[in-house]
Amino acid sequence: MTRVLVLVVAVIAVAAAAGISLGLLASTDPRVSGVPVAAGGPLPLPVELDPEELLADPNAPPMALAPPGGAIIQQGVVRLPKPKVDLAGPRRVGLQVGHWQTDTVPAEYGTRITFQTGTSWEGITEVEVVAEIAERIKVLLEAQGIAVDILPTTVPVGYLADAFVSLHTDGDGVGELSGFKLAHGFRRGPFE
């Protein structure tokens, strides 16, 4: 009887060790596995508040909403699941018109952006110039079978495109500086 008990304990110990090493037995420690947040759920922002920023409720912690695929809070960071890309669908390009509709941004963007309307020169605004450029680019890309979205300052929650371009015509106030800026987001698709 003792031999059978020892054999059963040994088998359980080996099975548990194999399960742990193969990742079959997941830890329930939320710092390791993460805490899931459903789509639209509140996400804490790990940033300091800007003292110049006027908030609707100064006592409320900074918050953002989880995208359509949800999110996972893990060890003080927010992870977003990799978005699903339709590989058979048309390629998609998002063109954001800089400073367009800044008066309609959500409260979590803060109030300072509401008044950031871009530059202007002799009565022509940045939004007018960039909107015209976006429309011309859209015509050229759609002629090649590429889907194009012209977007305002507030990008729709969960928006995903193969390429995303934020168009601006920044000014320096005196007309001496020129150039361009490039950046990319962390959600990069296979066609970007």
Side-chain angles (χ1 to χ4, degrees):
M1 181 71 167
T2 306
R3 285 184 165 183
V4 172
L5 183 59
V6 170
L7 183 60
V8 169
V9 171
V11 168
I12 291 172
V14 169
I20 291 170
S21 68
L22 294 174
L24 299 175
L25 299 176
S27 170
T28 58
D29 183 352
R31 293 172 299 160
V32 175
S33 61
V35 177
V37 177
L43 295 173
L45 296 177
V47 296
E48 294 291 324
L49 285 175
D50 184 345
E52 296 178 13
E53 196 67 56
L54 299 174
L55 298 173
D57 181 2
N59 298 321
M63 297 294 278
L65 300 179
I72 299 169
I73 300 173
Q74 183 180 29
Q75 295 182 342
V77 297
V78 176
R79 290 188 310 114
L80 301 177
K82 188 174 182 179
K84 293 177 177 59
V85 177
D86 180 8
L87 299 178
R91 303 292 45 94
R92 177 168 299 282
V93 172
L95 300 175
Q96 182 186 42
V97 175
H99 305 283
W100 180 37
Q101 298 179 354
T102 56
D103 57 337
T104 62
V105 299
E108 64 259 26
Y109 278 31
T111 56
R112 211 169 25 156
I113 196 168
T114 302
F115 305 104
Q116 294 180 356
T117 57
T119 192
S120 64
W121 187 260
E122 296 188 7
I124 300 172
T125 67
E126 177 173 348
V127 173
E128 292 171 326
V129 172
V130 172
E132 175 68 23
I133 292 169
E135 288 294 337
R136 290 180 183 198
I137 294 171
K138 181 177 180 172
V139 169
L140 293 171
L141 292 176
E142 286 181 341
Q144 306 234 355
I146 298 171
V148 178
D149 302 307
I150 296 182
L151 304 167
T153 298
T154 305
V155 178
V157 175
Y159 180 79
L160 185 66
D162 298 300
F164 181 88
V165 181
S166 182
L167 300 169
H168 288 267
T169 56
D170 294 345
D172 68 350
V174 292
E176 293 179 1
L177 302 177
S178 65
F180 63 92
K181 297 179 261 190
L182 280 175
H184 69 81
F186 66 93
R187 290 182 131 194
R188 303 186 80 170
F191 299 104
E192 183 178 8

